[in-house]
Amino acid sequence: MLRFDIITIFPAMFAQVLDESILKRGQEKKKIAIKVHDLRDFTLDKHRKVDDRPFGGGPGMVMMPQPFFAAVKKIKGRRKAKVILTSPSGEPLTQKKAKQLAKLKDIILLCGHYEGVDERVQSKLADETISIGDYVLTGGELAAMVIVDCVARLVPGVLGKAASLKDESFEGNLLEYPQYTRPADFQGMKVPKELLTGHHQDIEHWRQAQSMVRTKKSRPDLLRKAA
Ligand code: ADE
């Protein structure tokens, strides 16, 4: 069982995404658990304030360290959880990273906001900081959902038996080959004849070649790593 604890100022954003489909079944099967916590529950003042102006000046607000430290202390307890901060300045999320995280038992995700989070959260509270891509979101909630989604599906037993993880995109640093289903001719757009032969070796060969073509076109950076 892999447990995710998410600490956020927008707890209501999560249920719709995480309590549906595969993640819902993963939770029902007790392969994963997802708990969402309101950061404001860990503030000390009556206004439940979580942010303040940046030292040194500048626009916007910075999230204060105190609520995050209090939340992690309470939620972590004696468990050995990995604490991850979401931030565009983090290490990029990759399939490789997702596989490493899927081996853990306990992950606590901290959702950043505004101009950023007090640096002491990143340097003293979080074990790692993860970015989901080279763009800036309005907050870390979507990033946390992306992390939960791609990690949870790699936990054994979360995906159905039929689903295969071995031919997916990013395996061996290649993108997945194109897939087709019936009809073989849709409005004149035909399925490649190689897939209709029933000859497994030829199909395998065609798929490998197509993986290369796709990767070369969309992600030449991956191809250099694929060798
Ligand atoms: N918060 C804002 N942008 C982000 C990103 N790209 N990845 C993770 N957290 C973020």
Side-chain angles (χ1 to χ4, degrees):
M1 151 92 84
L2 169 51
R3 168 172 166 172
F4 298 92
D5 284 282
I6 300 163
I7 302 171
T8 170
I9 54 170
F10 295 119
M13 281 176 75
F14 288 86
Q16 278 284 301
V17 174
L18 302 179
D19 292 340
E20 284 292 345
S21 183
I22 290 169
L23 297 188
K24 180 181 180 178
R25 274 187 284 123
Q27 293 178 80
E28 285 166 358
K29 290 193 280 182
K30 305 249 185 288
K31 303 293 179 192
I32 54 168
I34 304 170
K35 299 185 196 302
V36 181
H37 310 268
D38 189 340
L39 181 68
R40 293 186 197 279
D41 291 345
F42 300 91
T43 53
L44 299 174
D45 71 308
K46 71 171 189 297
H47 303 293
R48 291 158 63 83
K49 185 173 150 78
V50 292
D51 59 339
D52 209 331
R53 285 169 294 134
F55 277 122
M61 299 293 267
V62 174
M63 293 183 90
M64 303 186 304
Q66 179 276 322
F68 280 115
F69 276 77
V72 169
K73 186 168 186 205
K74 177 82 192 297
I75 292 160
K76 193 172 180 182
R78 289 162 191 276
R79 292 183 290 125
K80 273 208 210 76
K82 167 93 73 187
V83 179
I84 299 173
L85 174 68
T86 57
S87 165
S89 61
E91 181 192 335
L93 180 64
T94 59
Q95 192 67 12
K96 184 173 165 208
K97 183 81 220 173
K99 283 182 185 170
Q100 290 167 3
L101 296 177
K103 295 199 175 89
L104 300 175
K105 292 281 159 238
D106 255 305
I107 295 175
I108 298 177
L109 287 157
L110 313 179
C111 302
H113 260 275
Y114 312 117
E115 294 306 306
V117 177
D118 185 286
E119 180 61 21
R120 290 163 288 190
V121 172
Q122 176 161 343
S123 61
K124 305 284 193 224
L125 184 63
D127 298 305
E128 14 190 300
T129 304
I130 292 182
S131 164
I132 64 160
D134 292 345
Y135 40 79
V136 181
L137 302 164
T138 57
E141 282 71 20
L142 286 169
M145 289 184 224
V146 168
I147 294 168
V148 170
D149 189 277
C150 74
V151 171
R153 66 190 286 286
L154 297 174
V155 173
V158 169
L159 290 182
K161 270 201 204 74
S164 163
L165 294 171
K166 96 176 194 323
D167 276 351
E168 291 191 324
S169 283
F170 307 113
E171 285 305 312
N173 282 310
L174 291 174
L175 300 181
E176 199 187 7
Y177 47 78
Q179 298 273 21
Y180 294 88
T181 186
R182 272 169 279 275
D185 183 338
F186 175 64
Q187 298 178 354
M189 297 175 273
K190 297 198 174 69
V191 171
K193 61 183 183 315
E194 290 85 347
L195 296 178
L196 306 174
T197 59
H199 191 290
H200 290 297
Q201 239 174 334
D202 287 357
I203 292 170
E204 189 57 30
H205 210 240
W206 181 87
R207 285 178 165 169
Q208 270 175 18
Q210 290 297 314
S211 266
M212 297 287 277
V213 169
R214 272 199 159 172
T215 311
K216 193 169 178 192
K217 180 158 183 279
S218 305
R219 294 294 304 277
D221 57 310
L222 286 180
L223 208 53
R224 282 190 284 277
K225 288 191 230 159

